[in-house]
Amino acid sequence: MSESAEATGSPVTKESGGRAARRWRVPVHWRPLVIAALLVLACSAPFQLVPFRVFQFTMVLIYAVALLGLNLLVGHAGQISLGHGAFFAVGAYSAAIMLHAWDAPYPATLPVAAAVAFTLGLALGVPAVRLRGLYLALVTMAIAIFLGPLLKRFESVTGGPMGLTLAKPEPPAWTGLAEDQWLYFLTLAVAVVAFLVTGSLLRSRVGRALHAIRDDQAAAEVMGVRLSFYKTLSFAWSAMLAGIAGCLYTWVIGYVSPDSFGVTLSITLLAGLVVGGLGSFWGPLLGGLFVMFVPSISQSVNDAAPGVVFGLLIIAVMYVAPTGLAGLAGRAAYSIKKTLRKE
């Protein structure tokens, strides 16, 4: 019964499917064209922008990968995490230590960072199975609070408060790319793979089980969904994506320190996801744009402005678009389509 309920869908998953059906989505036959157009735009961007802008969009992609994992946990599995910055830091430091202490090749750091973050997420997911809501949020936030002092204590490995300075990956001569362009394309490639794999996962039986847990845990359990198994794995997968983003961060920035991964990062990531759109395919990307550009633009106005502007924009978006920017765009497109049909 368990396997059939998960494979064919259940009354629990139909509720979430009904809500999804009321949202406007890009028609199926348009999706390849839309994705192709976005990829062409993304590939041409580093040749049209100045290096600093290329760096900013590279960071947007990094944050999007981290938010993709957080979206899997919060938006699709219905769990909560205020410690995602810790998984981001674990991935960043795993790559940094390998590069600094062992002079490892850059490609080797990515799977190791992913594996270490996955293991930590799996370990956290086991006790998290018994926690919900505020209690789970406090436990995950405690991880983020605890990690900073821990990294400072092991100075011989992590560099302590001063952190570690690293060389960035150099572009191969045959590419003819500048360093910023090369890092951008590396990050873009990883981000595209992450989005494709996560999208396939959510369309599978696993995705239906996560949505069932999100909508009603008691009903999901009655229908045969193994709550502990899927909730634990959702933490592990989410942490793995954050660890991958952290590894990319190390490549792009070339420097890591404990102060870069405080509790503020975890809160900012969660806020960015809420603004982008929980449970939406485009939410992580829109959230990455929000996390990167809003503080940057507001800081150019006043040094004290980023926090104020960030908070006010979150309030404004939640008032105007409770489902985030992705939901707002979807409703606008649906309204236009409805108007055109009437005409």
Side-chain angles (χ1 to χ4, degrees):
M1 178 177 177
S2 171
E3 295 298 325
S4 61
E6 294 172 18
T8 62
S10 67
V12 178
T13 59
K14 287 179 182 178
E15 181 185 350
S16 61
R19 285 201 300 267
R22 290 193 293 269
R23 297 176 183 173
W24 183 87
R25 293 184 178 183
V26 177
V28 176
H29 59 281
W30 287 5
R31 289 177 189 174
L33 295 176
V34 172
I35 293 174
L38 289 175
L39 285 176
V40 170
L41 182 63
C43 290
S44 63
F47 302 107
Q48 309 298 326
L49 302 173
V50 297
F52 179 66
R53 292 299 180 195
V54 175
F55 163 76
Q56 286 184 312
F57 280 105
T58 303
M59 292 303 299
V60 167
L61 292 172
I62 291 174
Y63 287 134
V65 173
L67 292 176
L68 184 65
L70 190 58
N71 193 36
L72 181 67
L73 179 66
V74 181
H76 294 283
Q79 308 303 302
I80 186 69
S81 174
L82 288 175
H84 228 61
F87 301 128
F88 192 96
V90 165
Y93 265 95
S94 296
I97 292 171
M98 290 181 66
L99 294 170
H100 183 265
W102 303 330
D103 197 24
Y106 287 94
T109 62
L110 191 62
V112 171
V116 173
F118 181 89
T119 303
L120 180 62
L122 196 65
L124 178 62
V126 173
V129 169
R130 301 182 179 275
L131 300 173
R132 296 178 63 181
L134 179 62
Y135 302 101
L136 181 57
L138 290 175
V139 168
T140 54
M141 186 171 68
I143 300 297
I145 295 172
F146 170 75
L147 185 64
L150 183 66
L151 292 173
K152 293 179 181 179
R153 180 170 294 273
F154 295 96
E155 187 171 351
S156 60
V157 179
T158 64
M162 300 302 293
L164 298 172
T165 302
L166 309 152
K168 299 179 182 180
E170 295 183 1
W174 57 267
T175 62
L177 297 174
E179 183 183 81
D180 59 295
Q181 295 171 335
W182 174 243
L183 290 172
Y184 173 86
F185 280 114
L186 285 177
T187 306
L188 177 63
V190 175
V192 168
V193 172
F195 270 84
L196 290 176
V197 172
T198 304
S200 298
L201 180 70
L202 291 173
R203 288 191 297 271
S204 68
R205 182 180 63 189
V206 173
R208 291 192 291 274
L210 293 179
H211 293 160
I213 293 172
R214 177 194 63 190
D215 294 335
D216 192 326
Q217 292 193 26
E221 190 171 20
V222 170
M223 296 306 299
V225 176
R226 294 172 290 172
L227 299 185
S228 59
F229 175 76
Y230 285 108
K231 288 173 72 173
T232 301
L233 281 186
S234 67
F235 263 96
W237 291 326
S238 177
M240 181 183 70
L241 287 167
I244 291 173
C247 178
L248 296 174
Y249 175 91
T250 299
W251 291 3
V252 172
I253 300 297
Y255 174 74
V256 292
S257 72
D259 294 334
S260 301
F261 310 106
V263 181
T264 304
L265 175 61
S266 298
I267 296 173
T268 300
L269 289 174
L270 183 59
L273 178 61
V274 172
V275 170
L278 280 171
S280 167
F281 179 80
W282 301 108
L285 187 57
L286 294 172
L289 289 166
F290 183 85
V291 169
M292 182 65 227
F293 284 105
V294 169
S296 176
I297 294 172
S298 56
Q299 192 167 7
S300 63
V301 177
N302 188 285
D303 289 341
V308 176
V309 174
F310 203 86
L312 290 176
L313 278 176
I314 291 174
I315 295 172
V317 170
M318 291 300 96
Y319 180 77
V320 176
T323 55
L325 295 176
L328 180 63
R331 288 206 307 273
Y334 179 78
S335 299
I336 294 172
K337 185 178 179 181
K338 193 174 180 180
T339 303
L340 293 174
R341 281 183 175 177
K342 288 182 179 180
E343 294 177 354

